[in-house]
Amino acid sequence: MKDFWNERYAEKEYVYGKTPNRYFQEKLDELRPGRILLPAEGEGRNAVYAARMDWEVSAFDISEEGKNKARKLAREYNVELDYQVGKLEVLDYKKEEFDAIALIFAHFPKEVRENYFQQFDKYLRPGGVVIFEGFSKEQIEYQKQNPQSGGPKDAELLYTKEELEADFRGYKFEEFEELEVELEEGEYHKGKAAVIRFLARKA
């Protein structure tokens, strides 16, 4: 997967655009700035927006090319990011370090997902929030109609509400919905798509 993402992010254009994910922006704007972690952050569009809104931003991805694009975008807006490259297992985040974690189209292999979510829970302080938007398993059918709508083609990398409720048990879901949206995020998130969104607060 690292080679796949390096090849995609090596394209000249920002393949998912430079503007933040709409749901992420809407939810972040409702919160008081603090420290935020953005896993699987790619080219940095959400991290840079958070930094512009006075958040202290940490992000990571497996793609060096993604980091290069994110740093370039950060320079455009004159903001700072702590952006690391690597898998979560080798990164050194601290217990209860963050006020928010944003999982925006962060689709992890099934064999590591449960462990990753447990780690994210450790990094989030009590009362902190998770902002989530990802493709649901219904997205497989949307891809057949429009491949540019995006998302993994392996259903095991996609989400159901039941799985997410189990992954984040003990959290208070202040918002939780599965819906069809019209994506306009660069060349690879374009058109109707099936997503799950939530805002959940750690007890």
Side-chain angles (χ1 to χ4, degrees):
M1 288 305 293
K2 181 175 182 177
D3 290 341
F4 171 86
W5 288 113
N6 274 329
E7 182 177 346
R8 175 161 288 188
Y9 294 145
E11 295 182 25
K12 182 179 178 180
E13 300 300 323
Y14 281 73
V15 297
Y16 298 107
K18 292 183 176 182
T19 57
N21 170 267
R22 195 176 302 166
Y23 184 71
F24 169 75
Q25 179 179 355
E26 176 188 320
K27 295 297 110 182
L28 196 76
D29 288 352
E30 296 172 357
L31 301 174
R32 185 170 62 184
R35 302 194 69 185
I36 188 169
L37 176 65
L38 294 104
E41 175 53 9
E43 298 169 305
R45 62 195 177 107
N46 297 311
V48 167
Y49 180 77
R52 290 170 58 202
M53 296 297 107
D54 296 326
W55 286 77
E56 187 176 340
V57 179
S58 296
F60 73 89
D61 200 282
I62 58 173
S63 169
E64 187 72 41
E65 292 290 347
K67 177 182 178 179
N68 292 340
K69 297 277 273 294
R71 291 176 69 181
K72 181 180 177 183
L73 189 61
R75 287 194 297 271
E76 284 186 28
Y77 285 98
N78 195 32
V79 295
E80 296 289 331
L81 306 176
D82 170 28
Y83 193 122
Q84 299 188 53
V85 174
K87 295 183 178 179
L88 183 62
E89 298 91 325
V90 301
L91 303 179
D92 188 28
Y93 298 117
K94 304 294 189 292
K95 182 179 179 182
E96 297 180 3
E97 181 176 357
F98 297 103
D99 302 290
I101 296 177
L103 295 163
I104 306 299
F105 298 112
H107 294 267
F108 303 109
K110 189 174 182 181
E111 62 268 20
V112 303
R113 189 168 87 189
E114 182 178 359
N115 178 60
Y116 274 28
F117 286 170
Q118 288 174 354
Q119 287 298 111
F120 297 150
D121 177 68
K122 291 178 183 177
Y123 300 151
L124 189 65
R125 68 166 179 80
V129 300
V130 175
I131 303 170
F132 180 97
E133 178 165 289
F135 291 109
S136 76
K137 291 192 188 297
E138 299 298 320
Q139 179 62 9
I140 293 291
E141 294 304 315
Y142 284 76
Q143 289 172 347
K144 292 175 183 177
Q145 301 296 320
N146 174 23
Q148 283 186 289
S149 63
K153 295 176 174 56
D154 181 353
E156 287 201 343
L157 291 167
L158 302 172
Y159 296 103
T160 68
K161 287 186 74 173
E162 291 75 20
E163 289 171 345
L164 289 166
E165 284 173 336
D167 288 332
F168 291 92
R169 57 188 172 274
Y171 280 64
K172 179 185 178 184
F173 288 90
E174 298 182 2
E175 200 171 282
F176 198 174
E177 56 184 351
E178 184 170 355
L179 70 164
E180 178 186 281
V181 297
E182 187 80 27
L183 293 176
E184 295 181 23
E185 301 180 331
E187 285 302 306
Y188 295 98
H189 281 177
K190 185 180 289 186
K192 287 185 172 59
V195 303
I196 299 173
R197 295 170 167 175
F198 70 72
L199 180 79
R201 193 171 297 275
K202 182 177 177 179

